[in-house]
Amino acid sequence: MVRNIYEGKKFPKVEMPSCPIERKLKGQTAIVTGASSGIGKAVAIAMGHAGAQVIVNYNHGEDAVYKEVIPEIQRCGSKAIGFQADVSKEDQVLAMFAQAKKEYDTVDILINNAGLQQDAAFDEMTLAQWQKVIDVNLTGQFLCAREAVREFKRRGVRKEISCAAGKIICISSVHEVIPWAGHVNYASSKGGVMLMMKSIAQEVAPYRIRVNSVCPGAIKTPINTAAWATPEAEKELLKLIPYQRVGEPDDIARVVVWLASDDADYIHGESIFVDGGMTLYPGFATGG
Ligand code: NAD
């Protein structure tokens, strides 16, 4: 078992700043997939706070979309619509992009966030569990990214809006590099996202389309409640996090807004880890 070298030590408690209100994305349209909860919900709201008009995609969780996400985006003066689509279904993804163009003329930013886990020991994993996770986490990102690139190439750069013709941000995971026993389907999907993102980035760069990933560590959302909901579980989890706090959805949202903005215009084909140091191999902190 990994010893927690941080246990018992006193660390300062730091207040989190609230979401950015600087309107860095004014005039741009963003599609955020899986935005009815967790990271997607926080990202959709932060995009709206930053001035973008937002297509709030969901498969389930209509209530949160229409009662929380859209009203919060509108409250700060941005536009938003909800759109139900299963990102693993080609016809539904095409319909979502068609609706976005009908409503807001074009799309500038895609946040490929929708994802799920279906965990099982490897020799007990069913083909259905394998396929479901690959379909949503990898094929879903492919389908949405392809539609985004088609639109970005068609429209090209509008200098008054952004230096780039379009931005794609894939929400990957630390598990694009950290193997994860009991989650072979999930880790494979995120490893796939890494090379999909980098290959698309290499191909579309000359069109001034920027493609990157944000790789969260452990963030408090419904996908992993069991890992942080009790003090015992959180204590176990903190053994893996040198920064000694579990992440919040806003930790990811702030980075996504910045990465989508022209402040990050020269960042391309990168996986940006937002993980409190989880990828620093904390088990080796005592010297190995
Ligand atoms: P979550 O369960 O709160 O959110 C996932 C969202 O995706 C939900 O709104 C869900 O309805 C939606 N979704 C699932 N299948 C869909 C489909 N077929 N079509 C459209 N939407 C669909 O979990 P989260 O933690 O917010 O996860 C968001 C992303 O972040 C995922 O890609 C996940 O792999 C990634 N991630 C999360 C963590 C973490 O610690 N929470 C860590 C690394 C990566």
Side-chain angles (χ1 to χ4, degrees), residues 110-177:
L110 166 67
I111 311 301
N112 250 339
N113 167 76
L116 46 74
Q117 286 179 217
Q118 291 202 354
D119 310 329
F122 181 61
D123 53 347
E124 285 164 17
M125 187 172 284
T126 63
L127 179 59
Q129 287 172 319
W130 169 266
Q131 273 173 341
K132 180 72 182 173
V133 172
I134 297 294
D135 281 355
V136 175
N137 295 11
L138 183 56
T139 307
Q141 292 215 10
F142 155 72
L143 288 170
C144 293
R146 190 188 59 181
E147 287 323 294
V149 165
R150 285 175 176 167
E151 175 58 11
F152 299 161
K153 275 171 118 173
R154 180 197 69 74
R155 195 207 56 239
V157 178
R158 290 170 300 163
K159 278 196 200 124
E160 68 286 6
I161 298 290
S162 173
C163 314
K167 281 85 54 153
I168 297 173
I169 297 171
C170 300
I171 304 301
S172 182
S173 167
V174 289
H175 295 295
E176 72 168 46
V177 294

Side-chain angles (χ1 to χ4, degrees), residues 250-263:
D250 276 351
D251 286 312
I252 305 302
R254 277 188 292 273
V255 175
V256 169
V257 167
W258 166 76
L259 191 53
S261 79
D262 284 352
D263 287 350

Side-chain angles (χ1 to χ4, degrees), residues 33-41 57-61 85-89 112-117 132 135-137 141 171-175 186 189-190 214-224 228 246 249 252:
T33 69
S36 59
S37 81
I39 292 170
K41 181 178 172 185
N57 162 254
Y58 63 98
N59 196 22
H60 304 290
D86 176 341
V87 295
S88 68
K89 301 283 189 302
N112 250 339
N113 167 76
L116 46 74
Q117 286 179 217
K132 180 72 182 173
D135 281 355
V136 175
N137 295 11
Q141 292 215 10
I171 304 301
S172 182
S173 167
V174 289
H175 295 295
Y186 184 84
S189 73
K190 297 299 185 180
V214 168
C215 303
I219 309 297
K220 289 184 178 177
T221 75
I223 210 173
N224 59 1
W228 51 263
V246 183
I252 305 302

